[in-house]
Amino acid sequence: MPRIAIVLSPGFQMMCFAAISAFEVANVAAGEARYDITLLSEDGGLVKNTLGAGLETERFDDPGIFDTVITGGLMMPKPSSDGLIAFLRAAGGACRRVASICTGAFILAEAGLLDGRRATTHWLFARDLKARFPRVRMEEDRIFIIDGPIWTSAGMTAGIDLALGMIENDYGAELARVVAQNLVVYHRRAGGQSQHSTLLKMDAKSDRIQNALVFARQNLRLPLSVEQLSEAAHLSPRQFSRAFRAETGQTPARAVENLRVEAARLMLEQSRHTLDEIAIENGFTDRERMRRAFLRAFGQPPQTIRRAARLGADA
């Protein structure tokens, strides 16, 4: 049974416990203990978070007794103690996995565990990390990244995606799916997914327009005409078009194209499907229409984006 150690520093950000809950729920969903979870700190005892509430921890010593060591992030990155750095360096050589949530990546970088590796963190701090630790191959627009034994995640809720990825890696996709369902995670995101969601950017105000967008995201293979979308929103086509543009600043056609491009890019980077298959799966009809959409969105054709993703993975 994997032993998971969560390393906390004074002023840790509370959202890291959302990720811990995924391992806890995995035990419940499996009907037996699949993970043993321990809270650690340098001195042990009570460690206070950003809100001033304290949690009891054990004093860290030998990292070799743990399968996975995860360091939680701080609201604002700051230099780590020599003891914490030494512990994480030792964990890098003794544990199967070492991971960070959010700005915890700064701590791994201080320990030298990210040197020469691909990594991510909260987009607000990504450029700062890259400037302070130039040997880190920062990818600031990813939910989480696995580079060998090192896992790093973006901010806040991305820690849940990282934990679900570990559960899938350990026990398979079905348990990870059940855990996500129990956590009421609406959509389990893959590590390569962008931190910036097209649905979030459109920021629909009403439930009706949100329902239409969700319908579109789940049915990209369909033509997704205004009539189909307005039916999902329970509005007339004229009412729908007017309300959609007022709430999102886009036409329905442009919004659907943006959703298709986002989904197609993820498939390009993470699957071996052909360009024709990806185009059909995401409603572009043919690869030429997909190519033109990619040029509008990214200034690059799909082949270039796939090639860059593969080169990054190989490196």
Side-chain angles (χ1 to χ4, degrees):
M1 176 172 59
R3 296 192 66 189
I4 308 289
I6 313 296
V7 183
L8 302 177
S9 300
F12 67 89
Q13 218 289 322
M14 280 294 291
M15 276 299 295
C16 71
F17 280 94
I20 300 172
S21 293
F23 299 112
E24 179 185 20
V25 172
N27 291 339
V28 176
E32 61 181 7
R34 295 292 180 92
Y35 292 100
D36 178 69
I37 306 163
T38 305
L39 301 181
L40 300 179
S41 67
E42 183 170 5
D43 299 317
L46 200 68
V47 178
K48 291 188 176 181
N49 60 30
T50 51
L51 301 175
L55 285 173
E56 282 293 334
T57 63
E58 297 180 17
R59 185 175 183 273
F60 58 60
D61 186 14
D62 176 16
I65 64 174
F66 297 104
D67 171 83
T68 302
V69 169
I70 303 173
T71 179
L74 306 175
M75 189 66 78
M76 294 295 295
K78 63 181 182 181
S80 302
S81 68
D82 292 341
L84 177 56
I85 295 302
F87 176 78
L88 290 173
R89 283 176 178 162
C95 302
R96 181 166 67 101
R97 292 183 298 223
V98 177
S100 64
I101 297 172
C102 194
T103 57
F106 281 80
I107 305 174
L108 297 191
E110 284 183 272
L113 297 181
L114 301 186
D115 288 354
R117 294 189 183 275
R118 298 168 58 237
T120 193
T121 189
H122 193 296
W123 61 270
L124 276 173
F125 300 99
R127 294 185 181 180
D128 182 30
L129 191 149
K130 186 175 182 178
R132 289 172 56 183
F133 303 99
R135 296 183 65 186
V136 179
R137 296 170 55 206
M138 173 54 57
E139 296 188 18
E140 59 186 82
D141 192 28
R142 289 294 180 264
I143 295 297
F144 67 88
I145 287 177
I146 308 168
D147 191 325
I150 307 298
W151 297 51
T152 54
S153 82
M156 307 302 182
T157 59
I160 299 174
D161 301 290
L162 178 140
L164 290 170
M166 288 183 173
I167 293 167
E168 180 171 343
N169 184 266
D170 295 338
Y171 295 109
E174 179 59 20
L175 181 58
R177 184 193 66 79
V178 172
V179 171
Q181 199 169 34
N182 277 273
L183 289 171
V184 198
V185 173
Y186 181 73
H187 173 56
R188 190 165 70 83
R189 300 174 294 183
Q193 189 167 332
S194 171
Q195 293 186 35
H196 304 283
S197 163
T198 296
L199 284 176
L200 187 61
K201 286 179 183 176
M202 284 189 272
D203 191 27
K205 305 296 188 300
S206 68
D207 289 345
R208 289 185 172 187
I209 300 303
Q210 287 180 3
N211 289 341
L213 286 168
V214 170
F215 173 82
R217 183 65 184 84
Q218 294 174 341
N219 295 277
L220 292 177
R221 288 185 65 130
L222 297 179
L224 295 176
S225 63
V226 169
E227 288 73 21
Q228 286 175 307
L229 295 173
S230 63
E231 185 177 346
H234 302 293
L235 293 168
S236 71
R238 179 176 293 182
Q239 287 175 315
F240 172 76
S241 295
R242 188 184 305 117
F244 191 94
R245 186 149 197 166
E247 292 191 27
T248 68
Q250 301 181 27
T251 64
R254 175 53 59 88
V256 167
E257 180 175 291
N258 289 339
L259 290 172
R260 285 181 166 140
V261 164
E262 181 180 69
R265 178 171 183 169
L266 186 61
M267 286 188 69
L268 276 170
E269 294 179 337
Q270 296 195 337
S271 78
R272 295 187 176 275
H273 290 85
T274 67
L275 295 183
D276 289 323
E277 289 170 336
I278 293 172
I280 292 171
E281 181 66 25
N282 292 287
F284 286 109
T285 307
D286 58 57
R287 61 191 292 175
E288 176 57 27
R289 291 187 182 183
M290 182 171 74
R291 187 187 72 84
R292 293 199 297 267
F294 266 66
L295 289 173
R296 284 191 291 271
F298 307 120
Q300 296 179 319
Q303 297 94 324
T304 301
I305 290 175
R306 169 165 273 181
R307 191 178 306 118
R310 288 181 175 174
L311 287 172
D314 290 343

